[in-house]
Amino acid sequence: MYNIWEKDITYLKGVGPKRSEVLRKECRIRNYGDLLHYYPRKYVDRSQVSKIRDIQGEEPFVILIGKLTRLDLSKTRRGKGVLTGAFTDGSGFIELTWFQGIKWVQNSLKVGEEIAILGKPALYGGRLQMSHPEIDKLNQDESKHMLKIVPYYSSSDKLSRVGLDSKGFRNIMFNLLEESSIHIQENLNEQICRENQLVSHKEAIANIHFPEDFQHLKAAQRRLKFEELFFFQLMLASRRKTAKALNRSNPFLKIGPYFNEFFENHMPFELTRAQKRVLREVRKDLALPVQMSRLIQGDVGSGKTMVAFMTMLMAKDNGFQSVMMAPTAILAEQHFKITHMAEKVELLPAFGRRAEEKERTTILEGIENGETDIVIGTHAVIERSNQIQKSGTGGSRRTTQIWRHAKGRLWKKTSPFPHNMIMTATPIPEPWR
């Protein structure tokens, strides 16, 4: 089945082999679909036409409609060419200047021709001037963009050298929509669009590139943002469903003496409501035969480590080992001090110091034969050793990893998958939680 969005960008009107090569290298645009989703970086309202008599010389840009009355080529003292012209709209005159692209301007413009120009005016010696104005001819079909809300696309020096500045992008984007707009299909359910008051996908694409007005632009942006978040959430839901089917884990079905004894007799402070709520949610997750994969986010000092430690006590009550991995040795030592009230907890030293090799060997032997219930350390817990993996696969005991600020390679070593908790103090934006 023919798919126009897979069509090579080379064959789009206005592109060709040279431009397509630059588009591939600079923007990773290879086909029609890539270009369609290359959205503008900003928009400029060009619908407001100014008069030369009203220009103060401090405006960021102005749009003028009028005629060229003069176009002269001269040279600077250094021998470089400079093209100057006089432009009038009937209310006054402004001098136009070009230092680059002189040949193209000379060949494309004629004295007496009605044009629209856009640029930043300046006062110099009491005279109004404008350098390198953007030009549209109003008496030809080329005038597609000047007197509208105009999109500006990200470009670069290499793109500009082949004519793909913002104006060049507008031209090829216009050609793209002209050729392929009938192939733009709806990708959301009609009910979803109706309930969320969304414009159609086709309308959104058309107005994100060439908006009729700012109201249409806002509606297009809202639709495309909704799409992005919707399909992102759909992808996450699909991954969660797959993970539940594949990532099987051992359930923790009881809360035993280790957890209860610590909670009732050794807890150094009363848990907050947030900590109690998280522990209830964790307990519910651990009771399932599916790997828990939970992110705990809270400010520094909010008690995330205590939640992790009590979760490890749940693992211990159910006959499993646990690992807490910290990003630094100092933090690992701090965590170890918190857990000293539990039995069979070991701090695994970092590699590299000979004095600790005997200590390490003893600890690893305890992990391997199941004598150690909780291991705390830095990346040392996953480097140069498979002892934890062996204890998980060699008997009835399994390994549960609870670590801090870790991306986690350790849990991949065990079968079935261990439960997984990551803690962070970095704020997570609400839509992505």
Side-chain angles (χ1 to χ4, degrees):
M1 183 178 178
Y2 175 69
N3 183 358
I4 192 171
W5 307 118
E6 296 295 331
K7 188 175 179 180
D8 194 313
I9 195 67
T10 305
Y11 302 106
L12 177 65
K13 180 182 176 182
V15 179
K18 187 175 182 179
R19 285 183 171 179
S20 66
E21 183 180 353
V22 180
L23 283 170
R24 285 188 182 92
K25 292 180 178 179
E26 292 292 300
C27 308
R28 297 182 180 180
I29 295 176
R30 298 175 175 81
N31 51 45
Y32 280 28
D34 294 337
L35 182 61
L36 188 74
H37 295 100
Y38 192 74
Y39 298 144
R41 61 181 175 86
K42 71 173 184 177
Y43 301 84
V44 173
D45 186 0
R46 295 186 178 181
S47 60
Q48 302 300 317
V49 179
S50 301
K51 289 290 185 180
I52 295 176
R53 64 168 176 254
D54 299 325
I55 297 176
Q56 302 297 317
E58 299 176 353
E59 296 83 352
F61 71 89
V62 294
I63 299 168
L64 302 171
I65 295 179
K67 296 180 180 179
L68 278 173
T69 60
R70 173 179 57 82
L71 198 62
D72 300 319
L73 178 63
S74 58
K75 289 188 176 182
T76 63
R77 294 178 180 178
R78 296 182 179 182
K80 292 185 177 180
V82 57
L83 185 66
T84 59
F87 178 90
T88 182
D89 63 357
S91 70
F93 287 86
I94 187 170
E95 186 175 288
L96 307 181
T97 309
W98 293 269
F99 299 98
Q100 297 176 352
I102 293 174
K103 187 176 181 180
W104 178 88
V105 176
Q106 280 185 305
N107 293 335
S108 61
L109 296 183
K110 295 179 181 178
V111 173
E113 183 178 27
E114 186 177 24
I115 59 174
I117 63 173
L118 178 144
K120 178 175 173 55
L123 275 172
Y124 186 76
R127 294 184 300 175
L128 281 172
Q129 295 184 340
M130 186 182 293
S131 298
H132 290 277
E134 192 169 327
I135 299 170
D136 264 1
K137 298 181 180 181
L138 299 181
N139 59 349
Q140 296 185 9
D141 292 336
E142 292 179 13
S143 179
K144 312 182 187 79
H145 317 301
M146 178 58 79
L147 303 180
K148 300 177 182 179
I149 298 173
V150 180
Y152 278 73
Y153 296 85
S154 297
S155 185
S156 66
D157 290 339
K158 291 182 180 179
L159 287 164
S160 297
R161 289 193 198 107
V162 294
L164 289 177
D165 53 9
S166 202
K167 183 177 180 180
F169 265 109
R170 287 196 293 271
N171 288 331
I172 64 172
M173 198 67 73
F174 185 88
N175 295 336
L176 174 67
L177 291 175
E178 198 170 45
E179 178 182 344
S180 62
S181 62
I182 60 173
H183 298 279
I184 299 176
Q185 298 179 349
E186 184 56 65
N187 56 8
L188 289 178
N189 182 279
E190 182 180 347
Q191 182 179 350
I192 294 176
C193 294
R194 185 174 61 254
E195 290 178 352
N196 293 280
Q197 299 179 333
L198 301 173
V199 300
S200 69
H201 182 64
K202 183 176 182 179
E203 184 179 347
I205 290 294
N207 279 283
I208 202 69
H209 289 294
F210 300 107
E212 297 179 30
D213 51 45
F214 281 108
Q215 186 176 353
H216 282 82
L217 173 60
K218 188 176 180 180
Q221 290 173 329
R222 182 173 179 271
R223 163 62 195 251
L224 295 175
K225 288 177 181 178
F226 182 93
E227 275 183 26
E228 183 176 352
L229 286 173
F230 177 82
F231 288 114
F232 180 76
Q233 293 289 345
L234 197 63
M235 178 269 291
L236 290 181
S238 176
R239 287 186 177 181
R240 281 195 293 267
K241 185 177 180 181
T242 302
K244 286 183 178 180
L246 299 179
N247 297 358
R248 311 305 292 176
S249 188
N250 291 290
F252 296 174
L253 301 176
K254 65 179 181 179
I255 295 296
Y258 292 105
F259 183 94
N260 291 329
E261 171 68 17
F262 178 80
F263 183 78
E264 295 172 4
N265 301 319
H266 301 287
M267 180 70 68
F269 53 81
E270 185 178 352
L271 294 179
T272 64
R273 283 184 297 176
Q275 286 174 312
K276 292 177 181 179
R277 173 176 53 80
V278 171
L279 281 171
R280 285 195 297 269
E281 293 175 359
V282 167
R283 183 178 176 182
K284 188 183 298 184
D285 286 349
L286 294 177
L288 300 175
V290 178
Q291 180 194 35
M292 179 184 75
S293 185
R294 178 171 284 273
L295 173 71
I296 307 296
Q297 187 269 323
D299 293 336
V300 175
S302 62
K304 299 184 295 295
T305 303
M306 184 57 69
V307 170
F309 174 57
M310 297 187 73
T311 303
M312 291 190 288
L313 291 179
M314 295 183 201
K316 186 173 180 178
D317 276 330
N318 286 269
F320 295 86
Q321 292 174 296
S322 301
V323 174
M324 177 182 284
M325 186 164 72
T328 65
I330 293 177
L331 196 55
E333 290 176 5
Q334 291 175 349
H335 292 341
F336 180 68
K337 291 177 182 179
I338 294 174
T339 62
H340 75 280
M341 289 171 281
E343 300 175 1
K344 300 180 181 179
V345 181
E346 295 287 359
L347 175 64
L348 188 63
F351 288 94
R353 288 179 286 181
R354 289 185 178 180
E356 296 173 342
E357 287 302 320
K358 287 186 177 181
E359 180 185 356
R360 175 186 305 283
T361 301
T362 302
I363 292 174
L364 292 178
E365 288 175 355
I367 295 171
E368 187 173 9
N369 61 32
E371 292 180 359
T372 299
D373 293 313
I374 296 175
V375 183
I376 299 174
T378 61
H379 286 77
V381 300
I382 60 173
E383 293 173 356
R384 290 169 47 186
S385 175
N386 288 328
Q387 273 83 352
I388 296 175
Q389 174 191 3
K390 291 176 182 177
S391 68
T393 58
S396 63
R397 305 173 70 87
R398 295 295 183 267
T399 306
T400 302
Q401 284 79 19
I402 309 295
W403 66 75
R404 180 180 179 87
H405 304 302
K407 298 299 181 183
R409 300 198 318 257
L410 183 58
W411 64 268
K412 296 180 180 179
K413 291 184 175 183
T414 62
S415 178
F417 289 116
H419 296 293
N420 174 25
M421 179 187 291
I422 300 175
M423 293 179 290
T424 178
T426 304
I428 307 299
E430 190 67 32
W432 307 104
R433 290 184 183 176

